[in-house]
Amino acid sequence: YARNAMVALGGEVVLVIAGATGTLSEAAYAWNYGKPVLALIPSGGVAAQIAGQCMDGRFGDPVAGCSSPLDMVNRTAEILRERGRLPRL
């Protein structure tokens, strides 16, 4: 499970699709380090459970729930643009 920290911290945004305890661990690492966490609700599993929830009381923004893969891609692109990691077209 040590790899979960590396997976969560290796990118700009963490995408949660379905998943179980390992996925929950990765999402928690990302949350603790202030990374945006997006959860694909229709995929079920951990993603459906944490979408729209705050993982703890330290941060005000909940895990963003995405209704479709396209919604997830669009939200990821929006976050990356806001952070200057993706050019505006």
Side-chain angles (χ1 to χ4, degrees):
Y1 294 102
R3 73 171 178 83
N4 291 353
M6 292 182 286
V7 169
L9 300 178
E12 295 284 326
V13 181
V14 171
L15 307 179
V16 180
I17 301 171
T21 58
T23 304
L24 179 59
S25 172
E26 291 165 348
Y29 274 116
W31 182 266
N32 283 325
Y33 283 91
K35 300 259 181 182
V37 180
L38 306 179
L40 185 61
I41 298 167
S43 66
V46 166
Q49 294 171 358
I50 67 172
Q53 303 296 315
C54 289
M55 295 191 74
D56 64 23
R58 291 179 289 165
F59 305 110
D61 293 336
V63 172
C66 299
S67 60
S68 69
L70 181 58
D71 182 28
M72 185 173 261
V73 168
N74 289 336
R75 288 184 186 211
T76 300
E78 181 180 318
I79 291 167
L80 294 176
R81 281 189 199 98
E82 288 172 359
R83 293 177 169 218
R85 299 290 194 190
L86 190 67
R88 296 199 183 273
L89 301 176

